Amino acid sequence: WLPSDNMHHQWLLLAACFWVIFMFMVASKFITLTFKDPDVYGVKQEPLMLTAMTKVEKIQVPEEKRLPEESQNKPTGKVISEDLMHQSLVHVKRIELLSNVCRDTALRNLSHTTISKFVLDRIFVCDKHKILFCQTPKVGNTQWKKVLIVLNGAFSSIDEIPENIVHDHEKNGLPRLSSFSDSEIQKRLNLYFKFFIVRDPFERLISAFKDKFVHNPRFEPWYRHEIAPGIIRKYRKNRTETRGLQFEDFVRYLGDPNHRWLDVQFGDHIIHWVTYVELCAPCEIRYSVIGHHETLEDDAPYILKEAGIDHLVSYPTIPPGITVYNKTKVEHYFSGISKRDIRRLYARFEGDFKLFGYREPDFLLN
Ligand SMILES: *[C@@H]1O[C@H](CO)[C@@H](O)[C@H](O)[C@H]1NC(C)=O
Ligand SMILES: *[C@@H]1O[C@H](CO)[C@@H](O)[C@H](O)[C@H]1NC(C)=O
Ligand SMILES: *[C@@H]1O[C@H](CO)[C@@H](O)[C@H](O)[C@H]1NC(C)=O
């Protein structure tokens, strides 16, 4: 073929990849027949599969957001290898996208941060199984913490952990990475399995707003009595409005390029709304897996498997429907907020959208 015939080249590459996958599937059928033990089967697959995966990396495979109906009919038995392969491909693509966006100099200020004490405070350590977990609120973090507390051995099952202990890191046997010396921190960052969970950045902000300023179920009065008045004083446009913090005020605060002086006053409470970049330093720390809340039904078991702990613990049951992205809700919250304020908000969170493959919310911006 002509040297300029790029398409032809790509089709050949694609065909070659399908051939590799096909051969792998034939091989996996053979292995199933040979070793009836499903555990042996699972263990044998992985290295093979990842070899096949690396050959496919160059081809654009759009990451699907699978619907919960699909994940409920989990394929079992013979098709399990295809499911695993799909999962691995999704995660290989996520990490690849992340490292590409990290290298994008135009987004540098939005994707990079320093591994500060603030970041090290967000990361929890399970030494027994060599796991680091970066906490990103509003994506089922309490459940992950419970899983790790059980693994560290302070309690023998998730049900036995008292609610008030989950976030009490003096008593729950789940240390923060910041509590170690510099060399011990470095060692763990280099060697351990590292993960965190993200969700659509705007939906996350809505969730944080509702949880902290509207419902406040854990009775944390400082959100309404200290933080909300602080935001209202500086960002409320309508001076005759007397209701508590409105989502519009919150958006104006978050989108203000000079938000930092208020952040400093709010202390660590800002973890509920600062960017994932600021919380977990995803371009500085080489995370092994990044779970998505929208596909948690698939991602949670995948993370347990990759961390090598799936035989020890399982992720608590996820109530149906709660992980699905709800565009209607997002539109509802942003209706009545000026395009200028929404664009400023997006300008701050663009790094989170791009790094984790969330689509730009053009229905709000244009
Ligand atoms: C990034 O931040 C630095 C310092 O805050 C600033 O000088 C630079 O212009 C910013 N770059 C971009 C692309 O915004
Ligand atoms: C300001 O808030 C008051 C009270 O909620 C409302 O009646 C009024 O319409 C608002 N004004 C504007 C310009 O939005
Ligand atoms: C999406 O959010 C809207 C408004 O909050 C709610 O009425 C609706 O039930 C939600 N849809 C789903 C599928 O959860």
Side-chain angles (χ1 to χ4, degrees):
W1 69 88
L2 292 170
S4 62
D5 196 352
N6 246 331
M7 282 300 286
H8 191 179
H9 194 148
Q10 285 186 355
W11 278 113
L12 269 182
L13 190 63
L14 188 65
C17 292
F18 276 120
W19 185 81
V20 170
I21 291 167
F22 175 75
M23 287 311 287
F24 163 73
M25 276 156 60
V26 170
S28 74
K29 292 262 169 11
F30 174 70
I31 294 166
T32 335
L33 291 174
T34 322
F35 310 97
K36 287 271 159 56
D37 181 351
D39 288 329
V40 174
Y41 168 73
V43 172
K44 287 261 185 279
Q45 291 322 318
E46 268 176 278
L48 262 177
M49 185 170 56
L50 286 173
T51 325
M53 279 315 110
T54 48
K55 294 197 198 313
V56 200
E57 272 178 40
K58 288 284 173 294
I59 297 166
Q60 282 300 318
V61 180
E63 184 182 314
E64 312 156 30
K65 297 267 178 230
R66 295 208 291 164
L67 296 171
E69 295 86 72
E70 269 181 75
S71 41
Q72 274 158 19
N73 317 318
K74 271 260 179 297
T76 48
K78 269 180 281 179
V79 282
I80 204 160
S81 63
E82 288 159 46
D83 192 43
L84 269 176
M85 179 127 73
H86 172 83
Q87 279 276 301
S88 297
L89 186 56
V90 165
H91 289 277
V92 165
K93 298 303 296 180
R94 273 185 203 169
I95 297 293
E96 196 187 42
L97 174 70
L98 178 79
S99 54
N100 285 341
V101 178
C102 288
R103 282 195 296 268
D104 183 343
T105 48
L107 282 172
R108 210 183 151 76
N109 288 356
L110 291 167
S111 58
H112 287 262
T113 188
T114 49
I115 306 180
S116 59
K117 178 170 184 301
F118 180 75
V119 170
L120 297 173
D121 276 343
R122 308 277 75 77
I123 300 177
F124 295 103
V125 182
C126 173
D127 272 331
K128 202 164 168 188
H129 298 278
K130 297 189 162 47
I131 299 169
L132 298 181
F133 165 58
C134 183
Q135 177 193 25
T136 50
K138 297 275 97 30
V139 289
N141 279 274
T142 304
Q143 306 297 357
W144 284 110
K145 277 190 179 179
K146 287 179 181 173
V147 166
L148 295 177
I149 288 168
V150 169
L151 286 174
N152 271 349
F155 293 88
S156 61
S157 84
I158 285 175
D159 301 329
E160 284 171 35
I161 308 170
E163 259 334 289
N164 58 329
I165 293 289
V166 178
H167 300 287
D168 184 344
H169 295 276
E170 306 289 310
K171 297 196 186 123
N172 65 13
L174 186 61
R176 295 179 195 268
L177 190 53
S178 56
S179 67
F180 294 84
S181 70
D182 284 354
S183 63
E184 289 295 309
I185 290 171
Q186 212 50 54
K187 193 179 86 188
R188 283 167 179 75
L189 284 174
N190 288 337
L191 300 175
Y192 283 15
F193 176 86
K194 302 172 283 295
F195 78 101
F196 66 104
I197 316 284
V198 298
R199 71 187 292 185
D200 175 87
F202 280 3
E203 211 182 25
R204 167 192 171 224
L205 294 177
I206 292 170
S207 180
F209 174 78
K210 277 166 61 184
D211 190 44
K212 298 303 171 201
F213 300 108
V214 183
H215 303 308
N216 204 258
R218 277 204 241 141
F219 193 67
E220 299 160 312
W222 48 88
Y223 288 102
R224 280 198 217 171
H225 298 306
E226 316 278 333
I227 294 178
I231 297 174
I232 290 170
R233 260 197 304 278
K234 177 140 170 62
Y235 294 103
R236 177 150 293 172
K237 265 199 286 193
N238 181 350
R239 290 287 156 191
T240 56
E241 173 68 76
T242 52
R243 287 178 294 172
L245 188 74
Q246 300 296 297
F247 192 60
E248 182 184 7
D249 308 321
F250 191 53
V251 165
R252 285 164 57 79
Y253 152 56
L254 295 176
D256 180 0
N258 300 314
H259 61 87
R260 271 184 219 288
W261 70 273
L262 259 189
D263 284 359
V264 171
Q265 296 177 33
F266 298 158
D268 275 3
H269 300 304
I270 59 170
I271 62 168
H272 298 283
W273 49 80
V274 298
T275 61
Y276 291 131
V277 167
E278 292 163 280
L279 290 173
C280 298
C283 289
E284 285 67 35
I285 296 172
R286 292 175 69 92
Y287 285 94
S288 323
V289 177
I290 295 163
H292 281 203
H293 187 253
E294 292 82 357
T295 51
L296 198 61
E297 291 84 353
D298 293 332
D299 290 2
Y302 181 81
I303 288 167
L304 294 176
K305 190 169 73 59
E306 290 295 296
I309 50 175
D310 54 331
H311 59 295
L312 298 172
V313 278
S314 54
Y315 190 82
T317 310
I318 302 163
I322 67 154
T323 65
V324 183
Y325 174 75
N326 186 337
K327 185 175 166 184
T328 314
K329 185 177 74 188
V330 175
E331 280 174 325
H332 170 74
Y333 271 85
F334 282 93
S335 66
I337 299 183
S338 77
K339 295 285 181 210
R340 173 184 166 273
D341 289 342
I342 301 175
R343 289 202 194 101
R344 287 173 72 146
L345 183 71
Y346 181 72
R348 171 151 178 226
F349 284 84
E350 188 180 4
D352 281 4
F353 276 94
K354 297 267 165 71
L355 288 164
F356 308 114
Y358 288 100
R359 275 183 44 198
E360 184 176 318
D362 43 13
F363 60 99
L364 298 175
L365 299 169
N366 302 316

